Amino acid sequence: MDAFDQSPHHSNEHAPNDALDQANKLLADVLQQLESQINEARATLSNLLFEIDDIELQVNPRIKVDYSVKIGCFENELLKAQIEARRAKRKLALAQARTNRGDAIVDTELEERLQEEFAQWEAELSARVSEYIQNLEVRASTTALSAQDSRELKRLHRTLIKRLHPDANIGCEEECERFFLLAQAAYEHGDLELLKSVEASTRHLGKNSGAFPTEAEASAELEIVNARIEVCRGKLELLKSSNPYLLKDKLDDAAWVTKTVLDLKGQTEQHARACEYYLAQYNALKERSHE
């Protein structure tokens, strides 16, 4: 017998298994890389969501209240003076028109006409005064947190953003959403105890395994998270480039506040003088019409 016939047969029967193992290993490596990118993207998204919430629920409301206290009252006085001056000027014009037609000047008729014409202005003033009072009530009812409690409030809210925010947790169940709304309300009102309670009650929620069975599913998840990141970045940029956020540094500048108040007071006085002038002209016209 040939010596070769006595030796073991050389076979490639393990080659398909080796190829499959290699393919599985490559897929596992790809999935691991994608999952790492997803986790990193989720962390970025959570940070953006926290910053947006911080501005919308804490920073901007404080700016609005601060603006009302330092500037708002003077703006309301200016608007009131503007309305009164325009009303007096219009009253004089209506009276002059009646005189030119040879009609008598009747105060009650003129006042009815002015009330109708200036209803929208008066409504705007009323709305602004109401908002001003509401902001003062918010300030009066707000208990300032200590620096330590404020840091704890932010820490808990950041934790709950990652755990509960529907934009950071796709497929978030109803229970998770309800707790998220409670967390938002607690953060907005600076209720540290309520936020602690929500955090303690939701430790079992928002746990994302991060495991994806296929590369396509992992890629789709990464694409969704990245898309939400871009949306949040756009929203954050808009918040930071518009009022009231842009007023924050100005309100902290005593010189700017003083100058703004003085300018508002100066304009108010100008309109008050104009109002006095038009009313004096109206009274003189009325006296001449009775001669």
Side-chain angles (χ1 to χ4, degrees), residues 3 36 48 66 76 84 99 110 117 119 138 149 170-171 214 229-230 244-245 251-252 256 269 282-283 291:
S36 177
L48 289 170
D66 196 26
N76 291 343
E84 290 176 348
T99 300
L110 293 181
E117 291 185 1
V138 168
D149 285 347
I170 298 172
T214 67
I229 286 174
E230 291 307 308
Y245 190 85
L251 289 170
D252 292 334
W256 181 86
E269 291 174 359
Y282 170 79
N283 290 328
E291 294 178 354

Side-chain angles (χ1 to χ4, degrees), residues 81-99:
Q82 288 174 331
I83 293 173
E84 290 176 348
R86 289 172 179 173
R87 187 184 181 103
K89 183 178 181 180
R90 179 59 175 159
K91 187 175 184 179
L92 174 60
L94 291 173
Q96 186 66 63
R98 292 183 69 91
T99 300

